[in-house]
Short mmCIF file of all heavy atoms in Angstrom, two decimals:
data_model
loop_
_atom_site.label_atom_id
_atom_site.label_comp_id
_atom_site.label_asym_id
_atom_site.label_seq_id
_atom_site.Cartn_x
_atom_site.Cartn_y
_atom_site.Cartn_z
N ASP A 284 -1.42 8.92 18.25
CA ASP A 284 -1.44 8.31 16.92
C ASP A 284 -0.21 7.42 16.85
O ASP A 284 0.91 7.89 16.69
CB ASP A 284 -1.38 9.41 15.85
CG ASP A 284 -1.21 8.83 14.44
OD1 ASP A 284 -1.39 7.60 14.29
OD2 ASP A 284 -0.89 9.59 13.51
N LEU A 285 -0.44 6.11 17.00
CA LEU A 285 0.68 5.15 17.03
C LEU A 285 1.14 4.76 15.63
O LEU A 285 2.13 4.08 15.45
CB LEU A 285 0.28 3.92 17.84
CG LEU A 285 1.40 2.98 18.32
CD1 LEU A 285 2.44 3.74 19.13
CD2 LEU A 285 0.82 1.83 19.13
N GLY A 286 0.39 5.19 14.61
CA GLY A 286 0.80 4.93 13.22
C GLY A 286 0.65 3.49 12.83
O GLY A 286 -0.45 2.97 12.71
N SER A 287 1.78 2.80 12.60
CA SER A 287 1.74 1.41 12.16
C SER A 287 1.08 0.51 13.19
O SER A 287 0.20 -0.28 12.87
CB SER A 287 3.16 0.91 11.86
OG SER A 287 3.72 1.62 10.80
N GLY A 288 1.51 0.64 14.44
CA GLY A 288 0.87 -0.12 15.51
C GLY A 288 1.20 -1.60 15.48
O GLY A 288 1.04 -2.26 14.46
N ILE A 289 1.69 -2.14 16.60
CA ILE A 289 1.94 -3.57 16.70
C ILE A 289 1.28 -4.10 17.99
O ILE A 289 1.16 -3.38 18.97
CB ILE A 289 3.44 -3.92 16.71
CG1 ILE A 289 4.19 -3.15 17.80
CG2 ILE A 289 4.06 -3.65 15.36
CD1 ILE A 289 5.64 -3.56 17.94
N LEU A 290 0.85 -5.35 17.95
CA LEU A 290 0.19 -5.94 19.11
C LEU A 290 1.16 -6.72 19.99
O LEU A 290 0.90 -6.91 21.17
CB LEU A 290 -0.95 -6.86 18.66
CG LEU A 290 -2.12 -6.18 17.93
CD1 LEU A 290 -3.22 -7.19 17.66
CD2 LEU A 290 -2.66 -5.01 18.73
N PHE A 291 2.29 -7.16 19.39
CA PHE A 291 3.29 -7.92 20.16
C PHE A 291 4.68 -7.38 19.87
O PHE A 291 4.96 -6.91 18.78
CB PHE A 291 3.24 -9.42 19.80
CG PHE A 291 2.06 -10.14 20.39
CD1 PHE A 291 0.85 -10.16 19.71
CD2 PHE A 291 2.15 -10.77 21.61
CE1 PHE A 291 -0.25 -10.82 20.25
CE2 PHE A 291 1.06 -11.44 22.16
CZ PHE A 291 -0.14 -11.46 21.49
N ASP A 292 5.55 -7.46 20.85
CA ASP A 292 6.93 -7.01 20.72
C ASP A 292 7.68 -7.93 19.76
O ASP A 292 7.69 -9.15 19.93
CB ASP A 292 7.58 -7.02 22.10
CG ASP A 292 9.02 -6.51 22.08
OD1 ASP A 292 9.44 -5.97 21.04
OD2 ASP A 292 9.71 -6.66 23.11
N LEU A 293 8.31 -7.35 18.75
CA LEU A 293 9.04 -8.13 17.75
C LEU A 293 10.54 -8.15 17.99
O LEU A 293 11.30 -8.58 17.13
CB LEU A 293 8.75 -7.57 16.35
CG LEU A 293 7.29 -7.66 15.86
CD1 LEU A 293 7.15 -6.97 14.52
CD2 LEU A 293 6.83 -9.11 15.78
N SER A 294 10.99 -7.67 19.15
CA SER A 294 12.43 -7.61 19.42
C SER A 294 13.06 -9.00 19.48
O SER A 294 14.26 -9.15 19.23
CB SER A 294 12.71 -6.85 20.71
OG SER A 294 12.04 -7.43 21.81
N ASP A 295 12.28 -10.03 19.79
CA ASP A 295 12.81 -11.40 19.81
C ASP A 295 13.21 -11.86 18.41
O ASP A 295 13.91 -12.86 18.25
CB ASP A 295 11.78 -12.38 20.38
CG ASP A 295 11.62 -12.23 21.89
OD1 ASP A 295 12.51 -11.60 22.51
OD2 ASP A 295 10.62 -12.72 22.44
N TYR A 296 12.73 -11.14 17.39
CA TYR A 296 13.04 -11.50 16.01
C TYR A 296 14.09 -10.57 15.40
O TYR A 296 14.20 -10.45 14.18
CB TYR A 296 11.76 -11.47 15.17
CG TYR A 296 10.77 -12.53 15.60
CD1 TYR A 296 9.78 -12.23 16.53
CD2 TYR A 296 10.83 -13.82 15.08
CE1 TYR A 296 8.87 -13.21 16.94
CE2 TYR A 296 9.93 -14.80 15.47
CZ TYR A 296 8.94 -14.48 16.41
OH TYR A 296 8.05 -15.44 16.81
N GLY A 297 14.84 -9.89 16.27
CA GLY A 297 15.94 -9.07 15.80
C GLY A 297 15.60 -7.63 15.49
O GLY A 297 16.46 -6.86 15.05
N LEU A 298 14.34 -7.23 15.71
CA LEU A 298 13.95 -5.85 15.46
C LEU A 298 14.08 -5.02 16.74
O LEU A 298 13.95 -5.56 17.85
CB LEU A 298 12.50 -5.79 14.97
CG LEU A 298 12.28 -6.27 13.55
CD1 LEU A 298 10.80 -6.50 13.29
CD2 LEU A 298 12.83 -5.27 12.55
N PRO A 299 14.34 -3.73 16.62
CA PRO A 299 14.43 -2.89 17.82
C PRO A 299 13.08 -2.79 18.50
O PRO A 299 12.03 -2.99 17.87
CB PRO A 299 14.91 -1.54 17.29
CG PRO A 299 14.49 -1.53 15.87
CD PRO A 299 14.61 -2.95 15.40
N TYR A 300 13.09 -2.48 19.76
CA TYR A 300 11.84 -2.38 20.53
C TYR A 300 10.95 -1.27 19.99
O TYR A 300 11.41 -0.16 19.69
CB TYR A 300 12.15 -2.11 22.00
CG TYR A 300 10.92 -1.71 22.79
CD1 TYR A 300 9.98 -2.66 23.16
CD2 TYR A 300 10.70 -0.37 23.12
CE1 TYR A 300 8.84 -2.30 23.85
CE2 TYR A 300 9.56 0.01 23.82
CZ TYR A 300 8.64 -0.96 24.18
OH TYR A 300 7.51 -0.59 24.85
N GLU A 301 9.67 -1.56 19.85
CA GLU A 301 8.65 -0.58 19.51
C GLU A 301 7.51 -0.77 20.51
O GLU A 301 7.16 -1.91 20.85
CB GLU A 301 8.11 -0.81 18.10
CG GLU A 301 9.03 -0.34 16.99
CD GLU A 301 8.95 1.17 16.77
OE1 GLU A 301 7.84 1.72 16.81
OE2 GLU A 301 9.99 1.80 16.55
#
Side-chain angles (χ1 to χ4, degrees):
D284 172 13
L285 197 55
S287 296
I289 54 174
L290 296 185
F291 285 87
D292 182 10
L293 296 175
S294 58
D295 287 344
Y296 295 92
L298 287 166
Y300 168 75
E301 283 280 319

